[in-house]
Amino acid sequence: MRVDAFKLPTDGPADVRGLQALLDDGAVRADELVCVLGKTEGNGGRNDFTRDLAMRALEDLLAPRLGLPPARVQDRVVFSLSGGTEGVVSPHVVAFARSGAWSEAPGPKRLVVGTAHTRPFTPAEIGRMPQIEETARAVAELAGELRLAPGDVHLVQMKGAIPKADHEAVLAARRAGAPLRNDMVHSRAASALGVALALGEVARADLSDDVVCDDWSLYSGVASCSAKPGLQRTEILMFGNSDRAGGDLVVGHTVLKDILDVDAVRALLAELGLPVTGGQLAPEQRAHVLGVFAKSEADPRGSIRGRRHTMLSDDDIDDTRHSRGALAAVLASVIGDPCIYVSTRAEHHGPLGGGPLAIIARVP
């Protein structure tokens, strides 16, 4: 089993020329593609249609090569596209391909990637224990399929479900004393807690409907969750290191205590064999970094290391855009590459004001 990753800068959301060249040259086969993750230059909000444009371009590219209609491509290849390229962030995608079979004998741990789905949810289950427990079941099952112990899982990228509810269902739930939580905030939060439960980051006894978006001491250090209105089931993408895999890629993760936690970034790079000695990775080290994936959040307490911030009170620029730009600049300043994937809103993703960071690199 071998995973290969290709970092491809883009000139616009519909630019798939980099991936097309890889396919045309035979460097990667369409039927070996597992996922494509990337940043598009929209606003990152609910009306950010750059993601839809990028997905449509990828579907049109891959459909004839997979022998599928465009609408079925995402049944085979997961697209995780995040809008918002504020500041230094450079629009790009990272394509992952998987080939070969598992090794019978253990060896050095190398990158593996796999996908899964939860069962479909009802609107009443979102943001509550049924979503948490079903997410945990699917995550644990996928980890088993990838031959990963909990400590070998370093990134779980998810697109959380938000099934539609009609107006009468909304009113009925409110009258029953259990208002629906089928929104982006609660779906992200429950998805992250599901990962935490599956990987032993939190105990089942500490979880309930009441802790969702309330007890911030409960979180996952490897989850990165978004949510999509109208999606019936959650899409799961897992990255980890297995001793039954080959190739030359590894993934590692850390938890940033806040948006300025450069020490954690440096420590993670050192763990991956890329120690930072001159303030920033040297060009030859930088070439080993294939993907940088982080979650950012404007600290809801309104301060960073005892200093007041205005990200939450700025009526000109949304706080998500502030935090994306700030964290991306911090990461790029250490790595030396602006191809950084930062996703915002981090409910139960790391401590308040902080968040998970995962880096995929080629072994030096």
Side-chain angles (χ1 to χ4, degrees):
M1 176 70 68
R2 175 189 177 95
V3 173
D4 291 297
F6 305 88
K7 181 164 56 177
L8 306 169
T10 59
D11 287 338
D15 181 12
V16 294
R17 290 173 296 176
L19 182 56
Q20 181 176 348
L22 291 174
L23 293 165
D24 290 345
D25 294 344
V28 64
R29 289 171 36 178
D31 61 355
E32 293 176 346
L33 280 173
V34 179
C35 57
V36 179
L37 283 69
K39 292 295 297 185
T40 62
E41 52 261 65
N43 60 28
R46 288 171 292 182
N47 64 334
D48 182 354
F49 302 115
T50 63
R51 294 171 294 200
D52 295 324
L53 176 58
M55 286 190 285
R56 179 60 182 270
L58 288 166
E59 288 171 345
D60 290 344
L61 172 68
L62 295 176
R65 290 169 168 82
L66 292 172
L68 296 171
R72 293 290 308 281
V73 169
Q74 292 194 59
D75 293 338
R76 291 279 300 276
V77 183
V78 172
F79 301 148
S80 182
L81 300 167
S82 171
T85 53
E86 295 81 9
V88 301
V89 178
S90 182
H92 69 287
V93 298
V94 184
F96 292 88
R98 184 177 61 198
S99 60
W102 294 106
S103 172
E104 293 299 324
K109 291 182 179 180
R110 293 293 184 261
L111 178 68
V112 292
V113 57
T115 63
H117 295 87
T118 64
R119 63 166 173 78
F121 292 108
T122 67
E125 292 177 314
I126 300 302
R128 293 188 162 91
M129 285 305 298
Q131 185 186 11
I132 294 172
E133 292 178 327
E134 169 59 14
T135 301
R137 181 204 63 77
V139 168
E141 186 174 285
L142 179 56
E145 292 174 3
L146 294 176
R147 307 186 183 191
L148 296 172
D152 291 324
V153 178
H154 294 279
L155 175 62
V156 183
Q157 190 93 6
M158 287 194 288
K159 189 181 297 179
I162 310 179
K164 293 179 180 178
D166 59 36
H167 184 61
E168 289 303 316
V170 172
L171 293 178
R174 189 180 303 158
R175 294 189 195 104
L180 294 183
R181 297 177 173 180
N182 61 324
D183 53 51
M184 298 179 77
V185 172
H186 287 92
S187 182
R188 284 191 301 262
S191 291
L193 289 173
V195 175
L197 177 59
L199 302 181
E201 297 175 287
V202 301
R204 173 62 180 82
D206 293 329
L207 296 174
S208 69
D209 291 353
D210 294 336
V211 306
V212 180
C213 292
D214 184 76
D215 186 347
W216 302 113
S217 69
L218 304 172
Y219 60 78
S220 172
V222 299
S224 180
C225 308
S226 61
K228 182 179 180 180
L231 192 65
Q232 296 293 313
R233 59 181 187 170
T234 295
E235 300 172 355
I236 303 170
L237 184 58
M238 180 179 291
F239 297 84
N241 296 319
S242 172
D243 64 3
R244 299 306 173 101
D248 60 355
L249 300 182
V250 291
V251 58
H253 83 276
T254 190
V255 178
L256 305 178
K257 65 182 180 182
D258 59 31
I259 212 167
L260 299 177
D261 194 0
V262 178
D263 288 343
V265 182
R266 293 172 182 272
L268 175 56
L269 288 167
E271 288 178 15
L272 294 170
L274 300 169
V276 182
T277 57
Q280 189 176 93
L281 289 180
E284 60 272 16
Q285 291 176 305
R286 192 179 312 147
H288 287 271
V289 178
L290 277 301
V292 180
F293 307 97
K295 267 287 187 181
S296 74
E297 185 83 273
D299 195 313
R301 295 166 295 189
S303 66
I304 301 173
R305 302 192 181 185
R307 302 292 192 182
R308 184 171 69 94
H309 72 72
T310 62
M311 289 186 277
L312 297 168
S313 58
D314 186 346
D315 288 338
D316 296 314
I317 303 174
D318 187 79
D319 66 279
T320 61
R321 311 197 80 167
H322 273 298
S323 68
R324 261 197 307 267
L327 180 57
V330 168
L331 295 172
S333 71
V334 179
I335 295 166
D337 186 347
C339 287
I340 303 291
Y341 183 114
V342 178
S343 172
T344 45
R345 300 299 188 207
E347 302 88 358
H348 299 290
H349 297 68
L352 282 179
L357 166 66
I359 296 177
I360 294 171
R362 183 170 290 109
V363 177

